[in-house]
Amino acid sequence: SQTIHQWPATLVQPVGSPLSLECTVEGTSNPNLYWYRQAAGRGLQLLFYSVGIGQISSEVPQNLSASRPQDRQFILSSKKLLLSDSGFYLCAWSVLGTSGADEQFFGPGTRLTVL
Amino acid sequence: GQNIDQPTEMTATEGAIVQINCTYQTSGFNGLFWYQQHAGEAPTFLSYNVLDGLEEKGRFSSFLSRSKGYSYLLLKELQMKDSASYLCAVSDSNYQLIWGAGTKLIIKP
C-alpha cells in the first residue's frame, strides 16, 4: 500500500531563517506531487506541483521554491522566511487513474510558525 | 476565473441529516471531489463524482449536476465525530484540483 511521509510535524522559525520541508512517498512510482499551504480557517492554496523528476510548476509568486531530486521525494524550501509564510503545509500525491480521477492523498502536514 | 463556493459554517444536531452545497465555475470539468478535514489534520478523501446523479457510500452521499455546476454532500445519522471541515474540489481541464474554502460543520448533542 501507498504511504506518504512529511517532516517535521511542527516547526517554529524566526523571520529571515531558511526552510526545508521534506515529503516522501512509498508504494507507488511516478506520482504527481503537490505542495499546499492552508492558513488558519482557510482553504488549500496550491503552491507547487510536479509531474516528474526535475519538473516543477509554480502556482503563485512567493519566496518559496520546490525541488524533486528523486521520483518519490518532494522538497519545499525558502532562503528567508516571512511572517506571512506561517501556515499548515501539506504534501500530496496522485496518480491519474483509468477513470480520469486524480484523487489526491495527503501527508500528515507540517505546522509552520514564523516569529 | 475559476471559483468554488460553499458555505463557511453549518450547525446540525447529532442523529440528524445535513446537506452541504457546493457550486463551481471552472475551465473544464473532470470530476468533483469531497474531502473531510478534522481540525489540525490532513484532508481525507470522501467521494468522487464525474457523472450526474447520486453516489452513496454508507452514511455519506454525494450528488452532482454538471449542467448546474452544483454538488452536495449529504451526511445522515450524524455523529459527533462528523464535526469537521468539508472541502469541495473540482478537477479542471488540466486535471488540477480547484479547492473551495471548506465548510465547517458543527455537530451539537
Side-chain angles (χ1 to χ4, degrees):
Chain A
S1 64
Q2 302 89 357
T3 56
I4 179 169
H5 304 279
Q6 257 188 271
W7 63 92
T10 59
L11 192 59
V12 180
Q13 292 284 97
V15 169
S17 64
L19 173 74
S20 181
L21 301 181
E22 189 164 342
C23 170
T24 58
V25 181
E26 296 177 358
T28 186
S29 58
N30 197 30
N32 296 329
L33 296 173
Y34 308 83
W35 277 113
Y36 288 94
R37 178 170 59 203
Q38 187 176 35
R42 304 291 296 277
L44 297 175
Q45 179 188 31
L46 180 63
L47 301 175
F48 300 95
Y49 71 93
S50 171
V51 298
I53 295 174
Q55 300 178 64
I56 309 293
S57 296
S58 175
E59 291 297 301
V60 292
Q62 62 225 323
N63 67 321
L64 301 172
S65 61
S67 62
R68 185 169 177 174
Q70 300 179 44
D71 181 44
R72 288 170 285 180
Q73 183 185 28
F74 205 22
I75 298 172
L76 182 69
S77 304
S78 174
K79 293 181 179 178
K80 287 186 178 181
L81 284 168
L82 307 173
L83 287 174
S84 58
D85 291 325
S86 293
F88 191 40
Y89 287 81
L90 290 157
C91 179
W93 70 272
S94 71
V95 175
L96 196 62
T98 55
S99 66
D102 196 22
E103 177 186 340
Q104 294 182 14
F105 300 89
F106 288 85
T110 296
R111 189 160 302 282
L112 172 66
T113 303
V114 182
L115 302 176
Chain B
Q2 309 204 89
N3 196 49
I4 310 284
D5 286 317
Q6 46 180 136
T8 303
E9 187 174 297
M10 299 182 70
T11 302
T13 305
E14 189 177 15
I17 299 174
V18 70
Q19 177 175 311
I20 302 174
N21 296 325
C22 171
T23 58
Y24 63 89
Q25 289 180 309
T26 57
S27 56
F29 180 83
N30 281 303
L32 185 144
F33 296 82
W34 284 97
Y35 281 78
Q36 180 189 60
Q37 185 179 25
H38 285 101
E41 298 181 9
T44 55
F45 170 78
L46 286 178
S47 68
Y48 171 74
N49 294 69
V50 67
L51 299 176
D52 290 351
L54 188 68
E55 293 280 342
E56 298 186 77
K57 193 184 290 187
R59 293 189 299 114
F60 293 4
S61 303
S62 56
F63 171 83
L64 175 67
S65 169
R66 288 172 297 173
S67 62
K68 295 182 179 179
Y70 167 70
S71 172
Y72 68 72
L73 180 69
L74 190 72
L75 292 74
K76 302 176 184 177
E77 301 169 16
L78 285 170
Q79 301 175 10
M80 297 303 294
K81 67 179 183 179
D82 297 329
S83 292
S85 287
Y86 291 85
L87 308 177
C88 173
V90 172
S91 179
D92 69 8
S93 56
N94 295 316
Y95 295 97
Q96 293 300 321
L97 286 186
I98 311 301
W99 293 85
T103 298
K104 183 178 180 180
L105 178 63
I106 300 169
I107 309 296
K108 295 185 175 181

